Structure formats: C-alpha cells, structure tokens
C-alpha cells in the first residue's frame, strides 16, 4: 500500500509540474494584459536585487491591475475592425465548410460510385502535407486566376478548402455509425433522400457537426500565414494579422499584444464550453427500435 501511495504521489507531482509549466506562459500574457503597461518587465528590480526580489520578478503578477490595455486596444487601435473581419471570415468559412463537408461525407458514406475510395484517399493524402506547401498554388488560383486577392471571399475559399478534408473524414465516420435501417424505414414510408438527409441524418449527427463547425471556425479564426499573404489593405486584416503589428522591429507594444491575444481567445473558449455538451455520443441508441 505504501509503495502504491508513493507511486501515485510522483505521478501527481509530475502532472502538476507539467500543468504549471503549461499555464505559466498563459499567466504571463494575462498579467501583461492587465498590467496597463507595454513593457514585459512587470516589476522594476533594484540594482542588486535579493533572492525574494528576483523571485517576485519572475512571478506573472502585475504590480497594479488595470484594464487600460483592453480599453486602448479597442479605442486607439483598429483592433475592433480586425476582430469584426475575423468574425465575418470565420462564420462564412464555418457555414461553407460544414455544408460541403456534410453533403460530401453523406455521399461517401451511403452511396457507391466510381472513384469513391480514391476520393477518400485523396482527402487523406492532402492532410499529410503542411499548409504552407499549398501557399503558392493557392495564391496563383485565388489571386491570379480568380482575382479574389485582398477579399474576404478569397480567404473563405482557401480556409474551407483546407478544412474540408478533415471534416469529411470525421463526418463520414460518424455517418457510418448511424444504422441504415432508419433510412430504409423512411424510404418505405415515402420519404425522399433529401428529407432523410435533412430531417433524420443531420439531427442525429449533431455532435459530429458541432465539432466540425468548431474545427472550421478555429481554422479560420487562428490562421495567420495565409491571411497575411492574401490580405494587403490594413482595413481588411483579420485579428491574428493585426496582432503582428503590435510587435515590430522598431516598437513593441506588448500590452496591446497581450490584451488583443486575450480578446481573440475568448470566442474560441466560449464556443468550446457551449459545444462540449454535444461531445456526448450515443444519440442514436435505441433509434432503430
């Protein structure tokens, strides 16, 4: 019993250590955001600091708590416009990505047609390459061929294209778990394929669709490289691209950067907390009966 307690102690100690190591940078961002200043050093140390003063200098805790950075970043900087741009791009990407992924995944799950296996394999292979590898082809297609450079629609098409393969694979696997007997019963009752898909399959697939929507939203909300390449006008920037200009080679506004990072993180946290109730599986249990 003593050996087991000792082993559990070291396991818990290791988990706590890694947890503190993970949240330490996050605490620094929060401390800098609520410090009301732009410098990284939250505590002014004396010339010859003591051990306690040095320890205080590494603690992520501001000397004075203030919301000045949050107010200034939303009023004195165009961050509010950038945030609205991110909302528009992310919502349009989510709607387009979920619509295309649901229809494609249902077709791959229920129908047998030439190229079905090759199509799923192509989706899988596309996930094996980094996103930056497609930067040049996407730039040629979106900017040169379609003329959608520096537009939200061009960015939405790019984001939806990169998110669809993963979403199709995830939804296809979930559609496979739904008993086909439900659809056969509906067909006997005279329901069309469209009615079955809209009134039966989609309601039963709410957990998978919710996670797919969250993934599509996060793909567009957090992406930086593609947005910085396709968007040229400052008024068109998304929030991640706008955050880059707070920290540059000549001036570093770390307080605005930290406050903006906290604001950008809030929608994703709220969405995850709201959608986590849909993670519970088993909605189809007993549906056949």
């Amino acid at each position: 019993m003593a050996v087991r307690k000792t082993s559990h102690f070291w396991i818990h100690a290791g988990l706590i250590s890694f947890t503190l190591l993970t949240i330490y940078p996050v605490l620094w961002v929060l401390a800098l955001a609520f410090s009301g200043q732009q410098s990284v050093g939250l505590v002014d140390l004396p010339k010859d600091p003591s051990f306690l003063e040095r320890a205080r200098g590494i603690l992520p805790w501001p000397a004075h708590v203030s919301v000045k950075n949050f107010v200034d970043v939303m009023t004195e900087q165009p961050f509010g416009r950038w945030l609205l741009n991110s909302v528009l791009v992310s919502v349009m990407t989510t709607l387009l990505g979920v619509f295309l992924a649901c229809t494609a995944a249902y077709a791959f799950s229920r129908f047998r047609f030439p190229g079905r296996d090759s199509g799923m394999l192509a989706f899988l292979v596309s996930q094996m390459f980094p996103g930056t590898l497609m930067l040049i082809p996407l730039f040629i297609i979106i900017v040169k061929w379609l003329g959608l450079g520096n537009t939200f629609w061009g960015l939405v098409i790019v984001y939806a294209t990169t998110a669809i393969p993963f979403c199709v694979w995830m939804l296809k696997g979930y559609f496979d778990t739904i008993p086909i007997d439900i659809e056969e019963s509906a067909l006997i009752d005279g329901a069309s394929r469209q009615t079955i898909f809209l009134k039966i399959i989609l309601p039963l697939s709410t957990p998978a669709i919710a996670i797919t929507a969250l993934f599509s939203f996060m793909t567009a909300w957090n992406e930086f490289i593609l947005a910085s390449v396709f968007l040229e006008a400052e008024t068109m920037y998304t929030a991640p691209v706008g955050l880059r200009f707070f920290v540059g080679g000549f001036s570093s506004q770390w307080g605005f950067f930290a406050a903006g990072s906290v604001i950008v993180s809030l929608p994703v946290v709220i969405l995850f907390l709201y959608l986590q109730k849909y993670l519970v599986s088993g909605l189809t249990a007993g549906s056949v009966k």
Side-chain angles (χ1 to χ4, degrees), residues 101-102 104-110 116 120 165-180 182-183 197 200-212 277-287:
C102 286
Y106 182 72
F108 279 112
S109 176
R110 289 295 188 259
R116 175 177 175 271
M120 292 301 297
F166 173 81
C167 296
V168 169
W169 264 97
M170 185 171 64
L171 285 174
K172 192 262 183 186
Y174 196 90
F175 288 158
D176 289 342
T177 63
I178 299 178
I180 198 172
I182 303 176
E183 300 179 46
F197 178 70
I200 299 177
I201 300 300
L202 292 186
L204 291 176
S205 306
T206 302
I209 295 176
I211 300 306
T212 300
K277 61 183 178 181
Y278 295 108
L279 294 175
V280 181
S281 60
L283 292 182
T284 60
S287 57

Side-chain angles (χ1 to χ4, degrees), residues 17 36 53 71 78 91 107 166 176 213 281:
S17 301
E53 291 171 335
V71 176
V91 170
F166 173 81
D176 289 342
S281 60

